[in-house]
Amino acid sequence: MGAVDDSLAALPEPDRGCLERVIGIARALVPGTEEGMSYGMPALKFEGKPLIAAVATAKHLSVFPFSSAVVEAVAGRLEGYSLSKGTIRFSAENPLPEDVVEEIVRLRQAEILSKTCPDS
């Protein structure tokens, strides 16, 4: 197992299942991700760049898309959730909608690809 799987395995339910769902969506949408660390958090990486992290703290669960632009792009669909520049906070009782997680992952993947591909 890697950093992401190890950190998730150490969590109790229902938090573990909720965060595994987020990571599972990311893995399904972006084949070839690798596990690693970014900003001290276990994260999925794509093209060597952090794609998404999903972590538990004492008071909430968080998704980090490593991009304030991505958080801003989905903010209108996350009324009632706690947002900051690069973080989306939620709970197992009020998980992120699957379509929003998919959009977060797609937007971040597009950002990474736009920064790694030379202009034509």
Side-chain angles (χ1 to χ4, degrees), residues 18-104:
C18 190
L19 295 178
E20 284 175 341
R21 182 178 141 272
V22 170
I23 295 300
I25 291 168
R27 285 180 167 145
L29 290 174
V30 186
T33 59
E34 296 179 355
E35 294 191 31
M37 298 293 288
S38 188
Y39 297 96
M41 296 178 286
L44 289 182
K45 293 186 167 193
F46 174 68
E47 300 284 326
K49 307 282 186 200
L51 176 71
I52 195 167
V55 300
T57 67
K59 296 185 178 185
H60 56 264
L61 305 176
S62 297
V63 164
F64 296 86
F66 302 100
S67 167
S68 59
V70 170
V71 174
E72 288 174 23
V74 298
R77 298 175 61 197
L78 292 172
E79 187 173 327
Y81 293 89
S82 174
L83 309 177
S84 63
K85 188 174 181 178
T87 310
I88 302 165
R89 293 174 203 85
F90 58 102
S91 68
E93 295 78 28
N94 189 25
L96 294 176
E98 187 170 324
D99 62 321
V100 175
V101 175
E102 290 172 356
E103 185 174 356
I104 290 166

